């Protein structure tokens, strides 16, 4: 029967994705690495990135072991030893998430020098290397995520003998492991990359007046390392958990509400969509090629459009065959539509081609103050259209799900829309990871003294990379919002299943418990963002002091006769990132536990609603505003408003410095915060149903 084979098909497809990643790796490493100077610089970046990730995984690994033991011994075993299996899932989810990021980072730091060397030949050659390097991360993420979810589902149902409903709920352990690693990767990587970037810019660009990626800057290697550990490994882990958690949330929801009407089909149907999307993403990568106009962003759009179109065609036939229900197919189209329009909206606010970025650049003529004011305004305004888009998407997906003859469940329609939105994950991550590769390629070209035409090609690639990174963050945040809604509903269903008094759990804001939770949830993104931004500031301060020290105490740096001590800056930001990522991680895990057990399930429900709404708005404002600040600086550097070295450029550098922790640390990490809190709430729901320490 096709129904029983869907998880097995998903496993096969996941191996296809991983095999394709291996083929891409083999193609990339065969490309020439350039001259000895280029290789020396690339090796320094590799060593720094590897050292940081190794230390990060060691630190997080200790915490993961503790959580593994807590889950194994605290979660009730039940008839199928659920607690132990949930703990195993947690461990594997954390491991797979780390592996996906590690693979992507290791390929990224090898593709950068090969991209710089390919830029000697042509823009297309450089684009091909950079994009395929990014595609490795994309394929690793979707392959390992789909493998973990479908593989564990098969183990739980076929080997352990769990009913499908129990198996679906047990999968949340895998999602929690992925979410936790995502949080630490985002926070730690974000602190690393922005502390190095800010430190390098303040002393290098503003004080010393030297160009970006100048080899005389002691922080330049740390800055290039940060691009990889933050934007590559961090984003990889982020979308890994988003992809996995969304699949799991949909399966849990189906297990709670649809088994009487659809049997296991409602649970396994999301795996079919995931499998189709992976194949579509693989095919889509072959369409990323420059046309006659040499439009790099256009090449990216071709790949994404092909992926989306093929996914839609596959969704139609799969839905018709498995469910015979056009309404659920329409719900999937809603998700694809959100992906398309959120990409367009984000590009509008962050690309140098449109008014918002040009407006920030123009304001820089009157100083850093007006630059920052305008950038903040653009960031705040950028929340309007994405939120309206998400709300329309929620309405339509709910409508199609509610009116579906086979499902008749509005929230399941939202879940399918979220899965469809994530159908392009492989392609989206490819375009995102392309960004740090091209950024590093430009840095290597600058430091190795390559001809101007090479730097022109890498700058063109890098400028688009800033936009693709901003688009990816918008995409991740939008999908997180839909996934969080599904997780919220799954939390409610778990409470209903485990309560003994027949309580319906209506989250009414007139109930003081819900209202208290709502305010706590709304407060958490601000506490979290303040902590992560302050961490960047503290780490950047130490980098600034170190760079200033080296400029003063090492004669010959500015004349190029002496080599800076790059390793000291790398070590400073590594230690700072690992130290500062602990509190945000503890906050995300402990908050739902404390609220749930002390104030009760209704207060926790209110907290989930608060963190979803406020976290979504704050994340969009930070990510989009930060991206706009960054490209406003690059717009000036392209020769507008006085160009490099002008007063407008100095003001734009300050604005970009403010925006850096917005777009690469706090903003993206809010995505992980939302998911971690909702996932922990879902895990503890059976234990807090009908129970509270403080009876209000």
């Amino acid at each position: 029967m096709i129904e029983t084979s869907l998880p097995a098909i998903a496993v096969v497809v996941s191996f296809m994705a991983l095999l394709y990643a291996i083929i891409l790796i083999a193609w990339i490493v065969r490309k020439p690495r350039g001259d000895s100077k280029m290789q020396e610089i690339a090796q320094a970046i590799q060593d720094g990135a590897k050292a940081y990730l190794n230390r990060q995984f060691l630190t997080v690994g200790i915490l993961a072991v503790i959580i593994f033991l807590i889950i194994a011994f605290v979660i009730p075993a039940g008839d199928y030893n659920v607690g132990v299996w949930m703990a195993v899932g947690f461990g594997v989810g954390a491991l797979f998430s780390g592996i996906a990021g590690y693979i992507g980072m290791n390929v990224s730091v090898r593709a950068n020098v090969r991209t710089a060397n390919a830029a000697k030949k042509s823009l297309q050659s450089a684009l091909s290397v950079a994009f395929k390097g990014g595609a490795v991360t994309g394929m690793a993420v979707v392959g390992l995520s789909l493998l973990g979810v479908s593989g564990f589902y098969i183990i739980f149902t076929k080997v352990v003998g769990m009913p499908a409903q129990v198996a679906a709920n047990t999968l949340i352990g895998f999602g929690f492991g992925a979410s936790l690693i995502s949080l630490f990767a985002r926070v730690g990587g974000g602190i690393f990359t922005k502390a190095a970037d800010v430190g390098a810019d303040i002393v290098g660009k503003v004080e010393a007046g030297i160009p970006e990626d100048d080899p005389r800057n002691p922080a330049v290697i740390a800055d290039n390392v940060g691009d990889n550990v933050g934007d590559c490994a961090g984003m990889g882990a982020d979308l890994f958990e988003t992809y996995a958690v969304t699949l799991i949330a949909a399966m849990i929801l189906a297990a709670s509400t649809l088994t009487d009407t659809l049997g296991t089909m409602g649970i396994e149907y999301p795996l079919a969509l995931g499998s189709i999307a992976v194949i579509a993403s693989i095919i889509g990568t072959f369409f990323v090629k420059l046309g006659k106009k040499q439009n790099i962003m256009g090449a990216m759009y071709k790949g994404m459009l092909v992926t989306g179109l093929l996914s839609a065609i596959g969704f139609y036939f799969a839905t018709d065959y498995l469910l015979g229900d056009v309404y659920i197919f329409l719900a999937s189209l809603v998700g694809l539509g959100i992906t398309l329009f959120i990409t367009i909206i984000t590009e509008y606010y962050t690309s140098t081609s449109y008014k918002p970025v040009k407006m920030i650049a123009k304001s820089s003529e009157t100083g850093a103050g007006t630059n920052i004011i305008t950038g903040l305004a653009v960031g705040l305004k950028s929340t309007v259209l994405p939120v309206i888009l998400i709300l329309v998407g929620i309405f339509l997906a709910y409508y199609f799900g509610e009116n579906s003859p086979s499902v008749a469940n509005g929230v399941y329609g939202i879940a399918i829309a979220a899965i469809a939105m994530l159908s392009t994950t492989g392609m989206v991550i490819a375009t995102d990871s392309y960004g740090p590769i091209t950024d590093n390629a430009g840095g290597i070209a600058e430091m190795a003294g390559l001809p101007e035409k090479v730097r022109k090609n890498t700058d063109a690639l890098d400028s688009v990379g800033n936009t693709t990174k901003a688009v990816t963050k918008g995409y991740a945040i939008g999908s997180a919002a839909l996934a969080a809604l599904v997780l919220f509903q799954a939390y409610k269903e778990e409470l209903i299943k485990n309560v003994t008094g027949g309580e319906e759990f209506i989250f009414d804001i007139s109930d003081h418990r819900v209202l208290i939770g709502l305010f706590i949830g709304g407060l958490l993104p601000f506490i979290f963002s303040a902590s992560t931004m302050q961490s960047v500031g503290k780490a950047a301060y130490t980098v600034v002091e170190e760079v200033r020290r080296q400029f003063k105490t090492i004669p010959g740096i500015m004349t190029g006769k002496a080599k800076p001590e790059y390793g000291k800056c790398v070590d400073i930001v590594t230690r700072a990132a690992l130290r500062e990522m602990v509190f945000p991680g503890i906050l995300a895990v402990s908050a739902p536990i404390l609220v749930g057990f002390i104030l009760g399930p209704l207060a926790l429900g209110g907290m989930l609603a608060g963190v979803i709404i406020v976290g979504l708005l704050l994340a969009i404002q930070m990510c989009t505003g930060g991206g706009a600040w960054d490209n406003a600086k690059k717009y000036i550097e392209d020769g507008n408003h006085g160009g490099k070295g002008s007063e407008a450029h100095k003001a734009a550098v300050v604005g970009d410095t403010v925006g850096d922790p917005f777009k690469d640390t706090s903003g993206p990490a809010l995505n992980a915060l939302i998911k971690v809190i909702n996932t922990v709430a879902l895990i503890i729901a059976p234990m807090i149903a009908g129970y509270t320490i403080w009876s209000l």
Side-chain angles (χ1 to χ4, degrees):
M1 291 287 291
I2 186 71
E3 179 176 347
T4 60
S5 64
L6 286 178
I9 292 172
V11 170
V12 173
V13 171
S14 66
F15 278 114
M16 288 173 58
L18 296 174
L19 177 61
Y20 183 51
I22 293 171
I23 293 171
L24 290 176
I25 292 171
W27 183 87
I28 291 167
V29 297
R30 287 198 300 267
K31 294 294 178 180
R33 296 183 294 164
D35 57 41
S36 59
K37 180 65 174 177
M38 295 169 65
Q39 293 181 40
E40 180 187 349
I41 297 166
Q43 189 62 52
I45 297 171
Q46 288 180 38
D47 293 343
K50 186 176 180 180
Y52 170 76
L53 279 189
N54 286 342
R55 290 171 67 174
Q56 182 189 57
F57 288 152
L58 179 62
T59 304
V60 176
I62 296 170
L63 180 61
V65 170
I66 296 171
I67 294 176
F68 173 92
L69 295 172
I70 292 173
I71 294 174
F73 290 102
V74 173
I75 301 295
D79 296 331
Y80 303 97
N81 217 2
V82 169
V84 173
W85 282 113
M86 194 174 288
V88 172
F90 167 83
V92 176
L95 179 64
F96 276 19
S97 181
I99 290 173
Y102 202 84
I103 291 172
M105 187 276 297
N106 271 284
V107 174
S108 178
V109 296
R110 286 165 173 78
N112 52 15
V113 68
R114 291 168 171 83
T115 299
N117 191 66
K120 296 176 182 177
K121 182 180 180 181
S122 68
L123 184 62
Q124 174 60 58
S125 297
L127 171 63
S128 182
V129 176
F131 177 75
K132 288 179 179 177
V136 171
T137 306
M139 293 302 113
V141 165
V142 295
L144 287 171
S145 184
L146 189 60
L147 176 63
V149 175
S150 56
F152 267 115
Y153 182 80
I154 291 174
I155 292 172
F156 293 158
T157 55
K158 304 301 181 184
V159 179
V160 181
M162 294 181 184
Q165 298 95 317
V166 178
N169 283 282
T170 309
L171 286 172
I172 195 62
F174 181 86
F176 180 38
S179 296
L180 190 69
I181 294 299
S182 167
L183 181 67
F184 283 114
R186 264 307 191 189
V187 172
I191 293 171
F192 186 111
T193 184
K194 291 305 107 179
D197 195 2
V198 170
D201 282 355
I202 288 177
V203 186
K205 286 185 178 181
V206 179
E207 296 181 5
I210 59 179
E212 187 174 4
D213 297 319
D214 194 297
R216 295 172 293 178
N217 195 325
V220 70
I221 295 296
D223 188 11
N224 281 284
V225 169
D227 290 332
N228 295 284
V229 300
D231 289 327
C232 185
M235 176 54 76
D238 189 351
L239 281 177
F240 177 95
E241 69 91 12
T242 299
Y243 191 86
V245 168
T246 303
L247 278 175
I248 293 167
M251 295 171 75
I252 290 174
L253 182 66
S256 299
T257 60
L258 300 178
T259 51
D260 290 341
T261 55
L262 292 179
T264 60
M265 179 58 73
I267 301 172
E268 298 176 5
Y269 171 69
L271 297 176
L273 299 187
S275 301
I276 292 166
V278 169
I279 297 172
S281 294
I282 293 173
I283 297 171
T285 61
F286 291 95
F287 289 83
V288 180
K289 294 181 181 179
L290 291 175
K292 293 181 179 179
K293 295 182 179 180
Q294 299 286 286
N295 188 328
I296 302 170
M297 197 66 201
M300 300 294 184
Y301 278 146
K302 281 191 291 185
M304 292 189 67
L305 286 171
V306 169
T307 300
L309 181 61
L310 292 177
S311 295
I313 294 171
F315 291 171
Y316 173 78
F317 287 106
T319 306
D320 183 62
Y321 182 77
L322 298 173
L323 299 177
D325 189 342
V326 70
Y327 281 88
I328 295 301
F329 167 68
L330 292 174
S332 72
L333 289 187
V334 171
L336 293 173
I338 293 175
T339 300
L340 173 63
F341 286 109
I342 207 163
T343 299
I344 295 171
I345 292 168
T346 308
E347 184 188 5
Y348 171 75
Y349 278 104
T350 58
S351 173
T352 56
S353 302
Y354 301 108
K355 183 180 177 180
V357 167
K358 291 180 179 179
M359 188 166 59
I360 297 173
K362 176 66 176 177
S363 71
S364 303
E365 293 181 351
T366 52
T370 47
N371 171 283
I372 291 170
I373 291 171
T374 307
L376 286 171
V378 168
L380 292 168
K381 191 182 293 184
S382 72
T383 62
V384 177
L385 291 178
V387 169
I388 292 174
L389 176 65
I390 291 169
L391 294 180
V392 171
I394 290 171
F395 177 85
L396 291 175
Y398 188 93
Y399 175 84
F400 292 135
E402 190 71 16
N403 289 277
S404 160
S406 64
V407 173
N409 187 307
V411 181
Y412 190 74
I414 296 173
I416 297 305
I419 292 171
M421 186 177 180
L422 287 162
S423 66
T424 56
T425 292
M427 178 61 66
V428 170
I429 294 178
T431 61
D432 180 86
S433 295
Y434 146 97
I437 293 173
T438 57
D439 196 349
N440 274 194
I444 292 170
E446 180 76 31
M447 288 184 277
L450 298 184
E452 183 63 28
K453 74 169 188 176
V454 176
R455 188 63 209 241
K456 184 179 179 181
N457 283 338
T458 58
D459 281 350
L461 294 169
D462 185 29
S463 179
V464 172
N466 284 328
T467 300
T468 61
K469 287 187 287 186
V471 166
T472 304
K473 289 166 185 145
Y475 167 87
I477 294 164
S479 61
L482 296 182
L485 286 175
V486 181
L487 285 167
F488 181 87
Q489 183 65 26
Y491 165 73
K492 180 181 177 180
E493 295 295 336
E494 280 299 298
L495 291 177
I496 294 171
K497 284 195 309 183
N498 289 277
V499 74
T500 56
E503 191 172 351
E504 294 185 10
F505 293 102
I506 298 172
F507 300 101
D508 187 344
I509 61 171
S510 65
D511 188 317
H512 63 289
R513 294 167 294 183
V514 177
L515 192 60
I516 290 172
L518 191 64
F519 274 100
I520 294 173
L523 182 64
L524 285 175
F526 288 95
I527 298 173
F528 182 87
S529 299
S531 173
T532 51
M533 289 188 70
Q534 190 174 27
S535 296
V536 170
K538 288 192 294 185
Y541 179 81
T542 59
V543 175
V544 168
E545 286 197 318
E546 175 60 23
V547 175
R548 286 172 176 170
R549 183 195 68 79
Q550 292 194 33
F551 278 148
K552 290 178 181 179
T553 61
I554 304 176
I557 285 183
M558 291 303 292
T559 60
K561 295 180 179 179
K563 186 177 180 181
E565 296 174 346
Y566 300 121
K568 289 194 174 181
C569 288
V570 173
D571 185 63
I572 286 171
V573 288
T574 296
R575 285 187 282 109
L578 295 176
R579 181 178 63 252
E580 298 294 336
M581 72 180 185
V582 175
F583 173 74
I586 293 174
L587 177 69
V589 175
S590 63
I593 294 173
L594 292 173
V595 171
F597 281 100
I598 296 176
L599 300 180
L602 290 177
L604 181 53
M607 190 186 89
L608 298 182
V611 79
I612 291 170
I613 296 171
V614 177
L616 170 67
L617 291 169
L618 195 58
I620 295 173
Q621 184 260 326
M622 285 184 162
C623 289
T624 309
W629 262 314
D630 192 349
N631 270 350
K633 177 198 68 176
K634 291 194 177 298
Y635 183 72
I636 294 173
E637 290 175 345
D638 288 338
N640 301 288
H641 304 290
K644 290 183 179 180
S646 65
E647 292 303 312
H649 182 234
K650 292 178 181 178
V653 170
V654 175
D656 179 40
T657 301
V658 174
D660 272 339
F662 273 42
K663 70 180 176 67
D664 288 326
T665 308
S666 300
L670 285 169
N671 177 24
L673 174 75
I674 293 170
K675 245 75 69 56
V676 167
I677 288 177
N678 277 272
T679 303
V680 172
L682 187 54
I683 291 173
I684 67 173
M687 291 180 279
I688 64 171
Y691 169 79
T692 177
I693 294 176
W694 181 19
S695 180
L696 295 176

